[in-house]
Coordinates of all heavy atoms in Angstrom, one line a residue:
M1 N 27.0 -30.9 -15.3 CA 26.5 -30.3 -14.1 C 27.5 -29.8 -13.2 O 28.5 -30.5 -13.2 CB 25.6 -31.4 -13.4 CG 25.0 -30.9 -12.2 SD 24.0 -32.2 -11.3 CE 25.2 -33.2 -10.5
R2 N 27.3 -28.8 -12.5 CA 28.1 -28.3 -11.5 C 27.4 -28.0 -10.3 O 26.1 -28.0 -10.4 CB 29.0 -27.0 -11.9 CG 28.1 -25.8 -12.1 CD 28.9 -24.6 -12.7 NE 28.0 -23.5 -12.7 CZ 27.9 -22.5 -11.7 NH1 28.4 -22.7 -10.5 NH2 27.0 -21.6 -11.9
H3 N 28.0 -27.9 -9.1 CA 27.3 -27.5 -8.0 C 28.1 -26.5 -7.1 O 29.3 -26.4 -7.3 CB 26.9 -28.8 -7.1 CG 28.1 -29.6 -6.6 ND1 28.8 -29.2 -5.6 CD2 28.6 -30.7 -7.3 CE1 29.7 -30.2 -5.5 NE2 29.7 -31.1 -6.4
A4 N 27.4 -25.7 -6.3 CA 28.0 -24.7 -5.6 C 27.2 -24.4 -4.4 O 25.9 -24.9 -4.3 CB 28.2 -23.5 -6.5
P5 N 27.6 -23.7 -3.4 CA 26.8 -23.4 -2.2 C 25.6 -22.6 -2.6 O 25.6 -21.8 -3.6 CB 27.7 -22.5 -1.3 CG 29.0 -22.9 -1.8 CD 29.0 -23.1 -3.3
V6 N 24.5 -22.7 -1.9 CA 23.2 -21.9 -2.2 C 23.6 -20.5 -2.0 O 24.2 -20.1 -1.1 CB 22.1 -22.4 -1.3 CG1 20.9 -21.5 -1.4 CG2 21.7 -23.9 -1.6
P7 N 23.3 -19.6 -3.0 CA 23.6 -18.3 -2.9 C 22.8 -17.4 -2.1 O 23.0 -16.2 -2.0 CB 23.6 -17.8 -4.4 CG 22.6 -18.7 -5.1 CD 22.6 -20.0 -4.4
F8 N 21.8 -17.9 -1.4 CA 21.1 -17.2 -0.4 C 21.1 -17.8 1.0 O 21.2 -19.0 1.1 CB 19.6 -17.1 -0.9 CG 19.5 -16.6 -2.2 CD1 19.4 -17.3 -3.4 CD2 19.7 -15.2 -2.4 CE1 19.3 -16.8 -4.7 CE2 19.5 -14.5 -3.7 CZ 19.4 -15.4 -4.9
Q9 N 20.9 -17.0 2.0 CA 20.9 -17.5 3.3 C 19.5 -18.0 3.8 O 19.3 -18.9 4.7 CB 21.4 -16.4 4.4 CG 23.0 -16.2 4.0 CD 23.6 -15.3 5.0 OE1 23.2 -15.3 6.2 NE2 24.4 -14.5 4.5
R10 N 18.5 -17.5 3.2 CA 17.1 -17.9 3.5 C 16.4 -18.0 2.2 O 16.6 -17.1 1.3 CB 16.4 -16.9 4.4 CG 17.0 -16.7 5.7 CD 16.7 -17.8 6.7 NE 17.2 -17.3 8.1 CZ 18.3 -17.2 8.5 NH1 19.4 -17.5 7.8 NH2 18.6 -16.9 9.9
M11 N 15.4 -18.9 2.2 CA 14.6 -18.9 0.9 C 13.1 -19.1 1.4 O 12.8 -19.8 2.2 CB 14.9 -20.0 0.0 CG 16.3 -19.8 -0.6 SD 16.6 -20.9 -2.0 CE 15.6 -20.2 -3.3
L12 N 12.3 -18.2 0.9 CA 10.9 -18.2 1.1 C 10.2 -18.7 -0.1 O 10.2 -18.1 -1.2 CB 10.3 -16.9 1.5 CG 10.6 -16.3 2.9 CD1 10.4 -14.8 3.0 CD2 9.7 -17.0 3.9
F13 N 9.6 -19.9 0.0 CA 8.8 -20.5 -1.1 C 7.3 -20.1 -1.0 O 6.7 -20.6 0.1 CB 9.0 -21.9 -1.3 CG 10.4 -22.2 -1.7 CD1 11.3 -22.7 -0.8 CD2 10.9 -22.2 -3.1 CE1 12.7 -22.9 -1.2 CE2 12.0 -22.6 -3.5 CZ 13.0 -22.9 -2.5
V14 N 6.7 -19.5 -1.9 CA 5.3 -19.0 -1.8 C 4.5 -19.9 -2.9 O 4.8 -19.8 -4.1 CB 5.1 -17.5 -2.0 CG1 3.7 -17.2 -1.8 CG2 6.0 -16.9 -1.2
C15 N 3.7 -20.6 -2.4 CA 2.8 -21.5 -3.4 C 1.8 -20.5 -4.2 O 1.1 -19.8 -3.5 CB 2.0 -22.5 -2.8 SG 0.9 -23.4 -3.8
I16 N 2.1 -20.6 -5.5 CA 1.0 -19.7 -6.3 C 0.1 -20.7 -7.2 O -0.3 -20.3 -8.2 CB 1.8 -18.7 -7.2 CG1 2.7 -19.2 -8.1 CG2 2.3 -17.6 -6.2 CD1 3.1 -18.4 -9.2
N17 N 0.2 -22.0 -6.9 CA -0.6 -22.9 -7.7 C -2.0 -22.6 -7.8 O -2.6 -22.2 -6.7 CB -0.3 -24.4 -7.1 CG -0.9 -25.4 -8.0 OD1 -0.6 -25.3 -9.3 ND2 -1.7 -26.2 -7.6
R18 N -2.6 -22.8 -9.0 CA -4.0 -22.6 -9.1 C -4.6 -23.9 -9.6 O -4.1 -24.5 -10.6 CB -4.2 -21.5 -10.2 CG -5.8 -21.2 -10.4 CD -6.0 -20.0 -11.3 NE -5.4 -18.8 -10.8 CZ -6.0 -18.0 -9.9 NH1 -7.2 -18.4 -9.4 NH2 -5.4 -16.8 -9.5
R19 N -5.7 -24.3 -8.9 CA -6.4 -25.5 -9.2 C -7.8 -25.2 -9.9 O -8.1 -23.9 -9.9 CB -6.7 -26.3 -8.0 CG -5.5 -26.9 -7.4 CD -5.8 -27.9 -6.3 NE -4.6 -28.5 -5.8 CZ -3.9 -29.5 -6.5 NH1 -4.3 -30.0 -7.6 NH2 -2.8 -30.0 -5.9
P20 N -8.4 -26.1 -10.5 CA -9.7 -25.8 -11.2 C -10.7 -25.2 -10.2 O -10.6 -25.4 -9.0 CB -10.1 -27.2 -11.7 CG -9.0 -28.1 -11.8 CD -8.0 -27.5 -10.7
E21 N -11.5 -24.3 -10.8 CA -12.6 -23.8 -10.0 C -13.2 -24.7 -9.0 O -13.6 -25.8 -9.5 CB -13.7 -23.2 -11.0 CG -14.7 -22.4 -10.4 CD -14.3 -21.0 -10.0 OE1 -13.3 -20.5 -10.6 OE2 -14.7 -20.4 -9.0
G22 N -13.4 -24.2 -7.8 CA -14.1 -25.1 -6.8 C -13.2 -25.9 -5.9 O -13.6 -26.4 -4.9
E23 N -11.9 -26.0 -6.5 CA -10.9 -26.7 -5.6 C -10.0 -25.8 -4.8 O -9.6 -24.8 -5.3 CB -10.0 -27.6 -6.6 CG -10.7 -28.8 -7.2 CD -9.7 -29.6 -8.0 OE1 -8.6 -29.8 -7.7 OE2 -10.2 -30.1 -9.1
A24 N -9.7 -26.2 -3.6 CA -8.9 -25.3 -2.8 C -7.5 -25.2 -3.3 O -6.9 -26.2 -3.8 CB -8.8 -25.9 -1.3
C25 N -7.0 -24.0 -3.4 CA -5.7 -23.6 -3.9 C -5.2 -22.3 -3.4 O -5.9 -21.5 -3.0 CB -5.6 -23.7 -5.3 SG -6.4 -22.4 -6.3
C26 N -3.9 -22.2 -3.4 CA -3.3 -20.9 -2.8 C -3.6 -19.7 -3.7 O -3.7 -18.6 -3.2 CB -1.8 -21.1 -2.5 SG -1.5 -22.5 -1.3
A27 N -3.5 -20.0 -5.0 CA -3.6 -18.8 -5.9 C -5.1 -18.1 -5.7 O -5.2 -17.0 -6.0 CB -3.5 -19.2 -7.3
A28 N -6.1 -19.0 -5.3 CA -7.4 -18.4 -5.1 C -7.6 -17.5 -3.9 O -8.5 -17.0 -3.6 CB -8.4 -19.6 -5.1
R29 N -6.5 -17.6 -3.0 CA -6.5 -16.8 -1.8 C -5.4 -15.8 -1.7 O -4.7 -15.7 -0.7 CB -6.4 -17.8 -0.7 CG -7.5 -18.8 -0.6 CD -7.2 -19.9 0.5 NE -8.3 -20.8 0.4 CZ -8.1 -22.1 1.0 NH1 -6.9 -22.5 1.4 NH2 -9.2 -22.9 1.0
E30 N -5.1 -15.1 -2.8 CA -4.2 -14.1 -2.9 C -2.7 -14.4 -2.7 O -1.9 -13.6 -2.2 CB -4.5 -12.9 -1.9 CG -5.9 -12.4 -2.1 CD -6.1 -11.1 -1.3 OE1 -5.8 -11.1 0.0 OE2 -6.7 -10.1 -1.8
S31 N -2.3 -15.5 -3.0 CA -1.0 -16.0 -2.8 C -0.1 -15.3 -3.7 O 1.2 -14.9 -3.4 CB -0.8 -17.5 -2.9 OG -1.0 -17.9 -4.2
E32 N -0.4 -14.9 -4.9 CA 0.5 -14.1 -5.8 C 0.7 -12.7 -5.3 O 1.9 -12.2 -5.3 CB -0.2 -14.0 -7.2 CG -0.2 -15.4 -7.9 CD -0.3 -15.4 -9.4 OE1 0.2 -14.5 -10.0 OE2 -1.1 -16.3 -9.9
Q33 N -0.3 -12.1 -4.7 CA -0.1 -10.7 -4.1 C 0.8 -10.9 -2.8 O 1.7 -10.0 -2.6 CB -1.5 -10.2 -3.6 CG -2.3 -9.9 -4.8 CD -3.4 -11.0 -5.2 OE1 -3.0 -12.2 -5.2 NE2 -4.6 -10.7 -5.6
I34 N 0.7 -12.1 -2.1 CA 1.5 -12.2 -0.9 C 3.0 -12.4 -1.3 O 3.8 -11.8 -0.8 CB 1.0 -13.5 -0.1 CG1 -0.4 -13.2 0.6 CG2 2.0 -14.0 0.9 CD1 -1.1 -14.4 1.0
A35 N 3.2 -13.2 -2.4 CA 4.6 -13.3 -3.0 C 5.2 -12.0 -3.3 O 6.3 -11.6 -3.0 CB 4.5 -14.2 -4.1
E36 N 4.3 -11.1 -4.0 CA 4.9 -9.8 -4.4 C 5.1 -8.9 -3.2 O 6.1 -8.2 -3.2 CB 3.8 -9.2 -5.4 CG 3.7 -9.9 -6.7 CD 5.1 -10.0 -7.5 OE1 5.9 -9.2 -7.4 OE2 5.4 -11.2 -8.0
A37 N 4.3 -9.0 -2.3 CA 4.4 -8.2 -1.0 C 5.7 -8.6 -0.3 O 6.5 -7.8 0.2 CB 3.2 -8.3 -0.1
L38 N 6.0 -10.0 -0.2 CA 7.2 -10.4 0.4 C 8.4 -10.0 -0.3 O 9.3 -9.5 0.3 CB 7.1 -12.0 0.5 CG 6.2 -12.5 1.5 CD1 5.9 -14.1 1.2 CD2 6.7 -12.3 3.0
K39 N 8.3 -10.1 -1.6 CA 9.5 -9.5 -2.4 C 9.7 -8.1 -2.2 O 10.9 -7.7 -2.0 CB 9.2 -9.8 -3.9 CG 9.4 -11.2 -4.4 CD 9.3 -11.4 -5.9 CE 9.3 -12.8 -6.3 NZ 9.3 -12.9 -7.8
S40 N 8.7 -7.3 -2.2 CA 8.8 -5.9 -2.0 C 9.3 -5.7 -0.7 O 10.3 -4.7 -0.6 CB 7.5 -5.3 -2.2 OG 7.5 -4.1 -2.7
K41 N 9.0 -6.2 0.4 CA 9.5 -6.0 1.7 C 10.9 -6.3 1.8 O 11.7 -5.6 2.4 CB 8.6 -6.8 2.7 CG 9.0 -6.5 4.1 CD 8.5 -5.3 4.6 CE 8.9 -4.9 6.1 NZ 8.5 -3.6 6.5
V42 N 11.3 -7.5 1.3 CA 12.7 -7.9 1.4 C 13.6 -6.9 0.6 O 14.7 -6.5 1.1 CB 12.8 -9.3 0.8 CG1 14.3 -9.7 0.5 CG2 12.2 -10.3 1.7
K43 N 13.2 -6.5 -0.5 CA 13.9 -5.5 -1.4 C 14.0 -4.2 -0.6 O 15.0 -3.5 -0.6 CB 13.2 -5.4 -2.7 CG 14.0 -4.4 -3.7 CD 13.3 -4.4 -5.0 CE 14.2 -3.6 -5.9 NZ 13.7 -3.4 -7.3
S44 N 12.9 -3.7 0.0 CA 12.9 -2.5 0.7 C 13.9 -2.4 1.9 O 14.4 -1.3 2.3 CB 11.6 -2.1 1.2 OG 11.1 -2.7 2.3
L45 N 14.1 -3.6 2.4 CA 15.1 -3.7 3.5 C 16.5 -3.9 3.1 O 17.5 -4.0 3.9 CB 14.6 -4.8 4.5 CG 13.4 -4.7 5.1 CD1 12.9 -5.9 5.8 CD2 13.4 -3.4 6.1
G46 N 16.7 -4.0 1.8 CA 18.1 -4.2 1.2 C 18.6 -5.6 1.4 O 19.8 -5.8 1.5
M47 N 17.6 -6.6 1.6 CA 18.1 -8.0 1.9 C 17.9 -8.9 0.6 O 18.0 -10.1 0.9 CB 17.3 -8.5 3.1 CG 17.5 -7.6 4.4 SD 19.3 -7.7 4.9 CE 19.3 -9.4 5.5
S48 N 17.7 -8.4 -0.5 CA 17.5 -9.3 -1.6 C 18.7 -10.2 -1.9 O 18.5 -11.3 -2.5 CB 17.2 -8.5 -2.8 OG 16.1 -7.6 -2.7
G49 N 19.8 -9.8 -1.5 CA 21.0 -10.7 -1.7 C 21.1 -11.9 -0.8 O 21.9 -12.7 -1.0
K50 N 20.3 -11.7 0.4 CA 20.5 -12.7 1.4 C 19.1 -13.6 1.5 O 19.2 -14.8 1.8 CB 20.8 -12.1 2.6 CG 22.2 -11.5 2.6 CD 22.6 -11.1 4.0 CE 24.0 -10.6 3.9 NZ 24.5 -10.1 5.2
I51 N 18.0 -13.1 1.2 CA 16.7 -13.7 1.3 C 16.1 -13.8 -0.1 O 15.9 -12.6 -0.7 CB 15.8 -13.0 2.2 CG1 16.3 -12.9 3.6 CG2 14.4 -13.7 2.3 CD1 15.5 -12.1 4.6
R52 N 15.8 -15.0 -0.6 CA 15.3 -15.1 -1.9 C 13.7 -15.4 -1.8 O 13.4 -16.4 -0.9 CB 15.9 -16.1 -2.7 CG 15.3 -16.5 -4.1 CD 15.6 -15.3 -5.0 NE 15.0 -15.6 -6.3 CZ 14.9 -14.7 -7.3 NH1 15.4 -13.5 -7.2 NH2 14.3 -14.9 -8.5
V53 N 12.8 -14.7 -2.3 CA 11.4 -15.1 -2.4 C 11.1 -15.7 -3.7 O 11.3 -15.1 -4.7 CB 10.5 -13.9 -2.2 CG1 9.1 -14.2 -2.2 CG2 10.8 -13.1 -0.9
S54 N 10.7 -17.0 -3.7 CA 10.4 -17.7 -4.9 C 9.0 -18.2 -4.9 O 8.6 -18.8 -3.9 CB 11.4 -18.9 -5.0 OG 12.6 -18.5 -5.2
K55 N 8.4 -18.0 -6.0 CA 7.1 -18.6 -6.2 C 7.3 -20.1 -6.5 O 8.1 -20.4 -7.2 CB 6.3 -17.9 -7.4 CG 6.1 -16.4 -7.2 CD 5.5 -15.8 -8.5 CE 5.4 -14.3 -8.2 NZ 4.9 -13.6 -9.4
S56 N 6.4 -20.8 -5.9 CA 6.5 -22.3 -6.0 C 5.2 -22.9 -6.6 O 4.1 -22.3 -6.6 CB 6.8 -23.0 -4.8 OG 5.7 -23.3 -4.0
G57 N 5.3 -24.1 -7.0 CA 4.2 -24.9 -7.4 C 3.5 -25.5 -6.1 O 3.8 -25.0 -5.0
C58 N 2.6 -26.4 -6.2 CA 1.8 -26.9 -5.1 C 2.8 -27.5 -4.1 O 3.7 -28.2 -4.4 CB 0.8 -27.9 -5.7 SG -0.1 -28.7 -4.4
Q59 N 2.5 -27.3 -2.9 CA 3.3 -27.8 -1.7 C 2.5 -28.9 -1.0 O 2.8 -29.4 0.1 CB 3.6 -26.6 -0.7 CG 4.5 -25.5 -1.3 CD 4.7 -24.3 -0.4 OE1 4.1 -24.2 0.6 NE2 5.5 -23.4 -1.0
D60 N 1.5 -29.3 -1.6 CA 0.6 -30.5 -1.3 C -0.1 -30.3 0.2 O -0.3 -31.3 0.9 CB 1.5 -31.8 -1.1 CG 0.7 -33.1 -1.5 OD1 -0.5 -32.9 -2.0 OD2 1.1 -34.1 -0.9
V61 N -0.4 -29.1 0.4 CA -1.2 -28.8 1.7 C -2.2 -27.7 1.3 O -2.4 -26.7 2.1 CB -0.3 -28.3 2.8 CG1 0.3 -29.6 3.5 CG2 0.8 -27.4 2.4
C62 N -2.8 -27.9 0.1 CA -3.7 -26.9 -0.5 C -4.7 -26.3 0.3 O -5.0 -25.1 0.3 CB -4.3 -27.5 -1.8 SG -3.1 -28.6 -2.7
A63 N -5.5 -27.1 1.0 CA -6.6 -26.7 1.9 C -6.2 -25.8 3.0 O -7.0 -25.0 3.5 CB -7.4 -28.0 2.4
Q64 N -4.9 -25.7 3.3 CA -4.5 -25.0 4.4 C -3.8 -23.5 3.9 O -3.3 -22.8 4.6 CB -3.5 -25.8 5.3 CG -4.2 -26.9 5.9 CD -3.3 -27.7 6.9 OE1 -2.9 -27.2 7.8 NE2 -3.0 -29.0 6.3
G65 N -3.9 -23.3 2.6 CA -3.2 -22.2 2.1 C -3.9 -21.0 2.4 O -5.1 -20.8 2.9
P66 N -3.2 -19.9 1.9 CA -2.0 -19.8 1.2 C -0.8 -20.3 2.1 O -0.7 -20.0 3.3 CB -1.7 -18.3 0.8 CG -3.1 -17.7 1.0 CD -3.9 -18.5 2.1
N67 N 0.1 -21.0 1.5 CA 1.2 -21.6 2.1 C 2.6 -21.0 1.7 O 2.8 -20.7 0.6 CB 1.3 -23.1 1.9 CG 0.1 -23.8 2.4 OD1 -0.1 -23.9 3.6 ND2 -0.7 -24.3 1.4
V68 N 3.3 -20.7 2.7 CA 4.8 -20.1 2.6 C 5.7 -21.0 3.4 O 5.4 -21.3 4.6 CB 4.8 -18.7 3.1 CG1 6.3 -18.1 2.9 CG2 3.7 -17.8 2.3
M69 N 6.8 -21.5 2.8 CA 7.7 -22.2 3.5 C 9.0 -21.5 3.6 O 9.5 -21.1 2.6 CB 7.8 -23.6 3.0 CG 6.5 -24.4 3.0 SD 6.6 -26.1 3.0 CE 4.8 -26.5 3.1
L70 N 9.7 -21.5 4.7 CA 11.0 -20.8 5.0 C 12.1 -21.9 5.1 O 12.0 -22.7 6.1 CB 10.9 -19.9 6.2 CG 12.1 -19.3 6.7 CD1 12.7 -18.3 5.6 CD2 11.8 -18.5 7.9
F71 N 13.1 -21.8 4.3 CA 14.3 -22.7 4.5 C 15.5 -21.8 4.6 O 15.6 -20.7 4.1 CB 14.4 -23.5 3.2 CG 13.3 -24.5 3.0 CD1 12.1 -24.2 2.3 CD2 13.4 -25.7 3.7 CE1 11.1 -25.1 2.2 CE2 12.3 -26.7 3.5 CZ 11.2 -26.5 2.9
P72 N 16.6 -22.4 5.4 CA 16.7 -23.6 5.9 C 16.0 -23.9 7.2 O 16.1 -24.9 7.8 CB 18.1 -23.8 6.1 CG 18.7 -22.5 6.3 CD 17.7 -21.6 5.6
D73 N 15.2 -22.8 7.7 CA 14.6 -23.0 9.0 C 13.6 -24.1 9.1 O 13.4 -24.6 10.2 CB 13.8 -21.7 9.3 CG 14.8 -20.5 9.3 OD1 15.4 -20.3 8.3 OD2 14.8 -19.8 10.2
G74 N 12.9 -24.5 8.0 CA 12.0 -25.5 8.1 C 10.7 -25.0 8.7 O 10.0 -25.9 9.3
R75 N 10.4 -23.8 8.5 CA 9.1 -23.3 9.1 C 8.0 -23.2 8.0 O 8.2 -22.6 6.9 CB 9.3 -21.9 9.7 CG 8.1 -21.4 10.4 CD 8.5 -20.1 11.1 NE 9.5 -20.4 12.2 CZ 10.4 -19.5 12.7 NH1 10.3 -18.3 12.2 NH2 11.2 -19.9 13.6
W76 N 6.9 -23.7 8.3 CA 5.6 -23.6 7.4 C 4.7 -22.7 7.9 O 4.2 -22.7 9.0 CB 5.1 -25.1 7.3 CG 3.7 -25.1 6.6 CD1 3.2 -24.3 5.7 CD2 2.9 -26.2 6.9 NE1 1.9 -24.8 5.3 CE2 1.7 -26.0 5.9 CE3 2.7 -27.4 7.6 CZ2 0.6 -26.8 5.9 CZ3 1.7 -28.1 7.6 CH2 0.6 -27.9 6.7
Y77 N 4.3 -21.7 7.1 CA 3.3 -20.7 7.4 C 2.1 -21.1 6.6 O 2.1 -21.2 5.3 CB 3.7 -19.3 7.1 CG 5.0 -18.8 7.8 CD1 6.2 -19.0 7.2 CD2 4.8 -18.3 9.1 CE1 7.3 -18.6 7.8 CE2 6.0 -17.8 9.7 CZ 7.3 -18.0 9.1 OH 8.4 -17.5 9.7
A78 N 0.9 -21.4 7.3 CA -0.3 -21.6 6.6 C -1.4 -20.6 6.8 O -1.3 -19.9 7.9 CB -0.8 -23.1 7.1
G79 N -2.3 -20.5 5.9 CA -3.3 -19.5 6.1 C -2.8 -18.2 6.0 O -3.4 -17.2 6.8
V80 N -1.8 -17.9 5.2 CA -1.1 -16.6 5.2 C -2.0 -15.5 4.6 O -2.7 -15.8 3.7 CB 0.2 -16.7 4.5 CG1 0.8 -15.3 4.3 CG2 1.1 -17.7 5.3
T81 N -1.9 -14.3 5.3 CA -2.6 -13.2 4.5 C -1.6 -12.1 4.4 O -0.5 -12.2 4.9 CB -3.8 -12.7 5.5 OG1 -3.2 -12.0 6.6 CG2 -4.7 -13.7 5.9
L82 N -2.0 -11.0 3.7 CA -1.1 -9.9 3.5 C -0.7 -9.3 4.8 O 0.5 -8.8 5.0 CB -1.7 -8.8 2.6 CG -1.8 -9.3 1.1 CD1 -2.8 -8.3 0.3 CD2 -0.5 -9.3 0.5
A83 N -1.5 -9.4 5.8 CA -1.2 -8.8 7.1 C 0.0 -9.6 7.8 O 0.6 -9.1 8.8 CB -2.4 -8.8 8.1
D84 N 0.2 -10.9 7.3 CA 1.4 -11.7 7.9 C 2.7 -11.4 7.2 O 3.8 -11.9 7.7 CB 1.1 -13.1 7.7 CG -0.2 -13.5 8.4 OD1 -0.5 -13.0 9.6 OD2 -1.0 -14.2 7.8
V85 N 2.8 -10.7 6.2 CA 4.1 -10.4 5.4 C 5.2 -9.9 6.3 O 6.2 -10.4 6.3 CB 3.8 -9.5 4.2 CG1 5.1 -9.0 3.7 CG2 3.0 -10.4 3.1
D86 N 4.9 -8.9 7.1 CA 6.0 -8.3 8.0 C 6.6 -9.3 8.9 O 7.8 -9.4 9.1 CB 5.5 -7.0 8.6 CG 5.3 -5.9 7.8 OD1 5.7 -5.9 6.6 OD2 4.8 -4.8 8.3
Q87 N 5.7 -10.0 9.6 CA 6.1 -11.1 10.5 C 7.0 -12.2 9.8 O 8.0 -12.6 10.4 CB 5.0 -11.7 11.2 CG 5.4 -12.7 12.2 CD 6.2 -12.1 13.3 OE1 5.7 -11.2 13.9 NE2 7.5 -12.6 13.6
I88 N 6.5 -12.6 8.7 CA 7.3 -13.7 8.0 C 8.8 -13.1 7.6 O 9.7 -13.8 7.8 CB 6.6 -14.1 6.8 CG1 5.4 -14.9 7.1 CG2 7.4 -15.0 5.8 CD1 4.3 -15.2 6.0
V89 N 8.8 -11.9 7.1 CA 10.1 -11.3 6.8 C 10.9 -11.1 8.0 O 12.1 -11.4 8.0 CB 9.9 -10.0 6.0 CG1 11.2 -9.3 5.7 CG2 9.3 -10.2 4.6
Q90 N 10.3 -10.7 9.1 CA 11.0 -10.6 10.4 C 11.7 -11.9 10.7 O 12.8 -11.9 11.2 CB 10.1 -10.1 11.5 CG 10.0 -8.6 11.5 CD 11.4 -7.8 11.6 OE1 11.7 -7.1 10.7 NE2 12.1 -8.0 12.7
D91 N 11.0 -12.9 10.6 CA 11.4 -14.2 10.9 C 12.6 -14.7 10.0 O 13.6 -15.2 10.6 CB 10.3 -15.4 10.8 CG 9.2 -15.2 11.8 OD1 9.3 -14.4 12.8 OD2 8.2 -15.8 11.7
A92 N 12.4 -14.3 8.8 CA 13.4 -14.7 7.8 C 14.7 -13.9 8.1 O 15.8 -14.4 7.7 CB 12.9 -14.5 6.4
L93 N 14.6 -12.8 8.6 CA 15.8 -11.9 8.8 C 16.6 -12.2 10.1 O 17.7 -11.9 10.2 CB 15.2 -10.4 9.1 CG 14.8 -9.5 8.0 CD1 14.2 -8.4 8.5 CD2 16.0 -9.2 7.1
A94 N 16.0 -13.2 10.8 CA 16.7 -13.4 12.2 C 18.1 -14.0 12.0 O 18.3 -14.8 11.2 CB 15.8 -14.6 12.9
G95 N 19.0 -13.1 12.6 CA 20.4 -13.6 12.5 C 21.2 -13.0 11.3 O 22.4 -13.3 11.2
L96 N 20.5 -12.3 10.4 CA 21.1 -11.8 9.2 C 21.5 -10.4 9.4 O 20.7 -9.6 10.1 CB 20.2 -12.0 8.0 CG 19.7 -13.4 7.7 CD1 18.8 -13.3 6.4 CD2 20.8 -14.4 7.4
T97 N 22.5 -9.9 8.7 CA 22.9 -8.5 8.8 C 22.6 -8.0 7.3 O 22.7 -8.7 6.3 CB 24.4 -8.3 9.0 OG1 25.1 -9.1 8.2 CG2 24.6 -8.7 10.5
P98 N 22.2 -6.7 7.2 CA 21.9 -6.1 5.9 C 23.0 -6.3 4.9 O 24.2 -6.4 5.2 CB 21.7 -4.7 6.2 CG 21.3 -4.5 7.7 CD 22.2 -5.7 8.3
S99 N 22.6 -6.4 3.6 CA 23.6 -6.5 2.6 C 24.4 -5.3 2.4 O 23.9 -4.2 2.7 CB 22.9 -6.8 1.2 OG 22.1 -7.9 1.3
A100 N 25.6 -5.4 2.0 CA 26.4 -4.2 1.7 C 26.1 -3.5 0.5 O 25.5 -4.1 -0.3 CB 27.9 -4.7 1.8
Ligands
FES201 S1 -2.2 -25.2 -4.1 FE1 -0.8 -24.3 -2.7 S2 -0.3 -26.0 -1.6 FE2 -1.4 -26.9 -3.2

């Protein structure tokens, strides 16, 4: 094993977990589309080298989803919709400068 500094300044984890029919889960509320929209927005801003959007498994707050968590800020976005994508990316951009 080796270790190194995390290669991104911000990480957005988007839960895409799917539970059986009838159980609350993020995937049933468009979280995969939200993840793709976040990735697309970050890329369009030239910030892919600094902000990583990662699909995650269950974050254990299923009923409040779709859930997105921003690190290292420690911010949890619950009940996210596609309309929130720009705001979440704006928050993730705080203090960062565009990639060269
Ligand atoms: S299914 Fe997303 S938090 Fe559990």
Side-chain angles (χ1 to χ4, degrees):
M1 176 176 81
R2 67 182 182 89
H3 59 83
V6 173
F8 303 100
Q9 293 183 33
R10 302 280 193 286
M11 295 195 72
L12 283 164
F13 291 98
V14 185
C15 175
I16 60 159
N17 188 52
R18 182 174 297 281
R19 293 192 174 280
E21 186 74 28
E23 293 183 30
C25 69
C26 295
R29 298 176 181 153
E30 298 190 315
S31 66
E32 294 194 39
Q33 294 92 322
I34 290 165
E36 291 309 315
L38 285 166
K39 282 185 184 189
S40 209
K41 182 71 179 180
V42 167
K43 187 175 181 181
S44 74
L45 295 170
M47 296 301 283
S48 300
K50 295 188 177 182
I51 301 173
R52 178 71 181 173
V53 179
S54 289
K55 295 174 183 174
S56 87
C58 181
Q59 298 172 355
D60 205 23
V61 280
C62 318
Q64 299 178 66
N67 295 295
V68 177
M69 298 201 182
L70 172 62
F71 291 92
D73 304 54
R75 186 171 296 154
W76 167 27
Y77 301 93
V80 175
T81 70
L82 285 167
D84 299 318
V85 165
D86 285 356
Q87 182 62 58
I88 292 170
V89 172
Q90 276 306 119
D91 291 350
L93 284 168
L96 302 182
T97 52
S99 302

